[in-house]
Amino acid sequence: MQPSRTPTRQPSPETRQLRRVALSGLLGTAVEFYDFLVYGTVAALVFGELFFPEADPAVGTVAAFGTFAAGYVARPLGGILFGHFGDRVGRKSMMLLTMVLMGCGSFLIGLLPTYDTIGVWAPVLLVALRVVQGVAIGGEWGGATLMVVEHAERTQGSRRGLWSGFTQLGAPLGSVLSAGVVTLVSALPDDQFRSWGWRVPFLLSVVLLAVGLFVRLKVAESPLFAEARHEPPARPPVVEVLRRPKPVLLAAGVGIGAFTAQSLLTGFMISYAVDHGGYSRPQVLTAVTAASCAALLVLPAASALSDRVGRRPVVLAGAIASAALAFPVLALVDSGSPGLLVLALVLGHGLAQSTMYGPLGALFTEMFGTRVRYTGASLGYQAATLVGAGFSPLIASGLLASSGSGGTPVALLLCAGAAITALTVWRLRETRADALESPASRTTTLEGSPR
């Protein structure tokens, strides 16, 4: 007699679809962040001299990061635009459109003539394409995150943080990809890197775009949106959201610390460590890559932990860690030791920043109702990136150029961002136990006092 075999339990169709959506969110967001972060990395290395050659070197760096900020200014506009159609037409179609815009904008940056070839049109076109990137990524995160969390609500409602963490992983994964590619091309001789090597990471976007679109075409529309689409809000979603702006303002405040740390300890840190710390480009890019690899471990752990203890305690712990580590991190960077540079970025970005950032996907989704969720979550998230990530490199560059006081201004900015996040978390109500409501429910879910 043959021993009986226990039949293998097959996942339900809903679970299989959730896994596909989570993979789509991870890969798609990684592609988007790769495109966006490649710009920040290359801007720190060569854009000042290639597109603003008549400026003083310090002013050239500020001008290069000014175009970086232009992308962030456009992000809230993208959140409004794609949020409107995402709440009216559907999440999936907007996810596909944002990816195409992002990939094409990045590819065209790789083809741009420099200032020596077409004069002032070079920086003008650079800023224009950067704005296209900003508009695209302004709508990307909201669609990808909402798709995952709204699918998870039906089968894994108590683990929304864990599943949203897959989309959040796109940021460090995109950073690893961008830093890895730029590290390879920056190893070229300086003349080759400045003439054509810097273009390679942008041109590779076509390959990543093809992979992302292939995955996203296979996912199904959000089931919550499918139910809600027959009862759209009476007013445009942005009007509905801004009639009660408190949730958007709270979301923006919560995210400022994470995005300030992300921007200062990745793109800006490359310029700072090379110019002020005496490191080589490969040394700094290696440290950024190591920090992003650490984030790949810390971020999902923080996301999953928020399902158990709540979103607020995890984000608050990350903010406190970011403030406490700010001055030690900059001291390690200023030491001139490549090993201590790696340790600094792993602590500041891989640990503290990732702890703040991990729960944001689930938290922002839970703060808004289905009918306006795409618009509300996108506006809050992109407003945080505008304030926290868009202008912090510009402010840091200006302070360093005027004061020459080492890493103190950078550390103070990190502390300021963390303080804003901590104070805002104190005003939040815990949302991890809230159900994502039916179509006829409220447009926001943050009424009431913190608990």
Side-chain angles (χ1 to χ4, degrees), residues 55 62 152 164 178 228 297:
V62 174
S164 70
S178 63
L297 300 176

Side-chain angles (χ1 to χ4, degrees), residues 185-280:
V185 297
S186 67
L188 293 167
D190 279 352
D191 59 335
Q192 294 183 33
F193 178 70
R194 284 168 170 73
S195 63
W196 60 268
W198 67 270
R199 301 179 183 275
V200 173
F202 294 103
L203 299 178
L204 286 177
S205 297
V206 172
V207 178
L208 298 176
L209 173 62
V211 174
L213 287 177
F214 176 78
V215 174
R216 286 199 164 173
L217 285 168
K218 294 180 176 293
V219 303
E221 181 59 89
S222 157
L224 291 184
F225 173 78
E227 295 172 0
R229 70 189 310 166
H230 302 297
E231 292 187 49
R235 303 176 183 85
V238 66
V239 175
E240 288 282 357
V241 168
L242 294 181
R243 286 179 67 226
R244 296 187 179 93
K246 181 180 177 181
V248 173
L249 296 176
L250 288 173
V254 169
I256 282 175
F259 291 115
T260 299
Q262 179 190 59
S263 184
L264 292 178
L265 296 176
T266 53
F268 175 79
M269 185 53 61
I270 297 169
S271 174
Y272 175 82
V274 171
D275 295 341
H276 296 270
Y279 298 94
S280 67

Side-chain angles (χ1 to χ4, degrees), residues 45 75 90 222:
L45 296 175
R75 288 173 72 153
S222 157

Side-chain angles (χ1 to χ4, degrees), residues 130-386:
R130 186 60 175 168
V131 169
V132 170
Q133 283 191 323
V135 170
I137 203 170
E140 155 63 25
W141 181 87
T145 301
L146 267 57
M147 282 284 280
V148 175
V149 177
E150 289 180 347
H151 273 277
E153 175 69 7
R154 293 302 172 87
T155 58
Q156 305 281 338
S158 63
R159 303 172 70 191
R160 293 191 299 250
L162 171 66
W163 285 98
S164 70
F166 284 96
T167 302
Q168 301 294 81
L169 277 174
L173 182 57
S175 180
V176 169
L177 292 173
S178 63
V181 172
V182 177
T183 298
L184 290 176
V185 297
S186 67
L188 293 167
D190 279 352
D191 59 335
Q192 294 183 33
F193 178 70
R194 284 168 170 73
S195 63
W196 60 268
W198 67 270
R199 301 179 183 275
V200 173
F202 294 103
L203 299 178
L204 286 177
S205 297
V206 172
V207 178
L208 298 176
L209 173 62
V211 174
L213 287 177
F214 176 78
V215 174
R216 286 199 164 173
L217 285 168
K218 294 180 176 293
V219 303
E221 181 59 89
S222 157
L224 291 184
F225 173 78
E227 295 172 0
R229 70 189 310 166
H230 302 297
E231 292 187 49
R235 303 176 183 85
V238 66
V239 175
E240 288 282 357
V241 168
L242 294 181
R243 286 179 67 226
R244 296 187 179 93
K246 181 180 177 181
V248 173
L249 296 176
L250 288 173
V254 169
I256 282 175
F259 291 115
T260 299
Q262 179 190 59
S263 184
L264 292 178
L265 296 176
T266 53
F268 175 79
M269 185 53 61
I270 297 169
S271 174
Y272 175 82
V274 171
D275 295 341
H276 296 270
Y279 298 94
S280 67
R281 286 196 302 262
Q283 286 174 334
V284 183
L285 290 170
T286 298
V288 171
T289 303
S292 297
C293 289
L296 290 174
L297 300 176
V298 175
L299 199 152
S303 302
L305 182 62
S306 74
D307 285 329
R308 293 182 173 273
V309 303
R311 320 295 184 211
R312 297 173 70 236
V314 177
V315 176
L316 181 60
I320 293 172
S322 184
L325 290 169
F327 283 93
V329 161
L330 267 297
L332 291 173
V333 173
D334 289 339
S335 70
S337 167
L340 294 181
L341 174 66
V342 172
L343 177 61
L345 298 193
V346 166
L347 290 174
H349 176 55
L351 177 61
Q353 190 274 341
S354 297
T355 302
M356 279 190 286
Y357 183 67
L360 294 187
L363 175 61
F364 285 14
T365 302
E366 293 159 356
M367 290 170 72
F368 301 92
T370 302
R371 295 182 299 177
V372 298
R373 184 171 289 132
Y374 201 140
T375 300
S378 295
L379 264 181
Y381 185 93
Q382 303 308 338
T385 66
L386 171 62

